[in-house]
Amino acid sequence: MSDSSIRIILKNVSKHFGKVRALDAVEIEFAPGSLTTLLGPSGCGKTTLLRLVSGLEEVSSGEIWFGDENVTHLSATRRDIGMVFQSYALFPHMTVEQNVGYGLGVLKTAPGEIRDRVREVLDMVAMDGYQQRYPNELSGGQQQRVAVARAMVLRPKVLLFDEPLSNIDSKLRRSMRDDIRRLQQASGITAIYVTHDQAEALAVSDEIIIMRNGMIEQKGPPQDLYHRPETSFVANFIGESNVVSGELKGTGENRKIIFGDAAIAVNDSMPVRDENGPIKLSLRPEVLEITQREETSPPNGLSGIIVQSAYMGPVIEYSIETQAGVLFTRAPVYAGQFKANDEVCVRIRPEEIILIPENGQDI
């Protein structure tokens, strides 16, 4: 983390558009030098939050702080931010060097310093040598690198990304997200990243904030959100999940989680409540193993019937009708292929079961 990295704090921030409440009393801290992703469905408030931090929108109530400075009512030009847009927004009549150095020129930086800083930042994004090219002579990935360089050359306190990879084809997206992560870590700039792509969020983030209906549903490191979702919504939104209803039964060593025809013994690592009764579980597709149906299903398995299969190259995706509901899973092609109406057993590893807290059961 750089010595110049700052903490961003939103205190009870709300934003209304007429009668529509886009953000509702949001309280967040973004750690200095971190990259935090805002993730959620369309209309959840993530882009509105980013625009409030940038100064492109005014808060309806609450405060925004950059370190010890209250920037709530400062304009975007006075907040010392860099922003990378979805559309790149490069000037088509300017060269790469002119595009990247434009902001420094506006600040009346000396020409020699502009050249040096432009070359330095283009080298960081692997675009040194492209100074005299125009945007129409660059690929989409190269244009995005130039857009990142233009934001970073100003050495801002805060770097904001508004769905920066949505216009790049899938083959380039992986390398670009790795580049953005590397550059952010190397610079130590506090960054906020908006995306609707879950894989992108998991790959680039120190922390992820899941948003829903203008509020924060859950916040934490990617691993926590994936393996310890606090609500059914988060379990379904991060990665893929089969959320099923079950019941806690029994006492002591005989206590079990029952769902469908499966009975999973409760062990010390499971954060289950003391009282028996209804419970919700999340079963990730990758932890379900499909085998041929046996005469008697094992206690950690569900009997099922294949209702659909889809060949996806390296894997086959299956939908399986079980007593716990229809489950989605996938299996490697080399494991063999089941077809519709095959009777199978879905084996479940107890340590991979995710228990959703009582207060987070609504989907």
Side-chain angles (χ1 to χ4, degrees):
M1 182 178 70
S2 169
D3 291 339
S4 60
S5 300
I6 66 164
R7 185 180 304 277
I8 302 172
I9 305 171
L10 275 66
K11 299 180 180 180
N12 201 34
V13 169
S14 295
K15 177 63 179 178
H16 307 156
F17 295 100
K19 295 182 179 179
V20 176
R21 183 169 292 221
L23 285 179
D24 189 6
V26 168
E27 297 264 353
I28 312 175
E29 286 195 17
F30 299 90
S34 66
L35 190 154
T36 303
T37 296
L38 306 177
L39 183 65
S42 296
C44 70
K46 58 186 185 293
T47 298
T48 298
L49 194 155
L50 191 78
R51 289 176 65 83
L52 292 176
V53 172
S54 72
L56 296 174
E57 295 281 358
E58 277 276 346
V59 303
S60 298
S61 61
E63 296 179 346
I64 299 174
W65 290 73
F66 285 5
D68 296 328
E69 183 182 10
N70 186 340
V71 300
T72 307
H73 301 296
L74 289 184
S75 66
T77 56
R78 296 178 60 198
R79 293 197 185 187
D80 197 6
I81 61 165
M83 193 154 185
V84 181
F85 295 95
Q86 177 179 344
S87 61
Y88 315 146
L90 301 179
F91 296 115
H93 62 288
M94 291 185 181
T95 64
V96 167
E97 184 175 43
Q98 291 168 334
N99 264 286
V100 175
Y102 179 79
L104 293 174
V106 170
L107 296 173
K108 303 189 183 305
T109 306
E113 185 179 349
I114 292 177
R115 281 193 301 273
D116 291 344
R117 284 172 63 173
V118 168
R119 174 168 292 176
E120 177 188 6
V121 77
L122 286 177
D123 184 58
M124 288 178 68
V125 299
M127 289 293 291
D128 190 22
Y130 288 77
Q131 279 88 333
Q132 300 311 312
R133 294 203 188 180
Y134 287 87
N136 66 356
E137 298 174 315
L138 305 175
S139 68
Q142 289 170 334
Q143 290 183 51
Q144 188 58 279
R145 284 187 170 92
V146 173
V148 172
R150 182 181 56 188
M152 295 188 68
V153 77
L154 297 172
R155 298 171 182 168
K157 292 179 181 177
V158 177
L159 195 54
L160 306 177
F161 295 91
D162 185 11
E163 303 207 34
L165 306 184
S166 60
N167 289 335
I168 298 176
D169 65 67
S170 57
K171 289 185 178 179
L172 280 174
R173 202 168 294 156
R174 179 177 298 174
S175 63
M176 273 303 301
R177 77 188 186 201
D178 291 345
D179 287 343
I180 287 173
R181 182 61 173 147
R182 173 180 56 81
L183 290 168
Q184 186 275 328
Q185 288 181 315
S187 67
I189 298 173
T190 305
I192 304 175
Y193 192 104
V194 165
T195 184
H196 62 273
D197 187 305
Q198 303 159 26
E200 197 175 308
L202 291 168
V204 303
S205 308
D206 292 303
E207 284 201 313
I208 297 174
I209 295 172
I210 304 289
M211 299 192 65
R212 183 187 188 193
N213 299 330
M215 296 184 286
I216 297 172
E217 188 83 359
Q218 188 175 345
K219 176 181 185 241
Q223 297 90 335
D224 284 1
L225 270 64
Y226 191 84
H227 294 290
R228 289 182 287 279
E230 294 175 358
T231 68
S232 297
F233 177 81
V234 174
N236 277 301
F237 199 82
I238 287 284
E240 294 172 297
S241 180
N242 299 286
V243 176
V244 301
S245 298
E247 190 169 1
L248 282 167
K249 289 185 175 181
T251 58
E253 295 181 357
N254 295 319
R255 201 163 188 230
K256 291 181 171 58
I257 300 171
I258 309 294
F259 54 101
D261 54 345
I264 307 292
V266 172
N267 59 52
D268 293 338
S269 66
M270 294 180 177
V272 297
R273 63 178 186 265
D274 294 333
E275 309 82 27
N276 286 339
I279 192 169
K280 277 199 180 290
L281 319 170
S282 170
L283 307 173
R284 298 290 186 188
E286 65 269 19
V287 307
L288 303 180
E289 179 188 358
I290 313 173
T291 61
Q292 292 284 353
R293 176 86 66 87
E294 302 170 1
E295 287 189 15
T296 304
S297 292
N300 63 335
L302 290 162
S303 55
I305 297 175
I306 302 289
V307 293
Q308 188 173 355
S309 67
Y311 175 77
M312 304 298 291
V315 298
I316 300 169
E317 296 183 344
Y318 294 104
S319 294
I320 307 165
E321 182 78 51
T322 74
Q323 292 182 33
V326 176
L327 302 182
F328 169 78
T329 188
R330 54 175 63 91
V333 169
Y334 62 75
Q337 184 169 358
F338 295 97
K339 59 184 184 296
N341 298 317
D342 280 355
E343 296 185 349
V344 296
C345 175
V346 182
R347 294 177 181 269
I348 301 152
R349 295 194 292 273
E351 66 275 12
E352 299 289 357
I353 291 175
I354 298 169
L355 302 178
I356 298 173
E358 260 184 294
N359 60 358
Q361 292 194 8
D362 291 338
I363 296 179

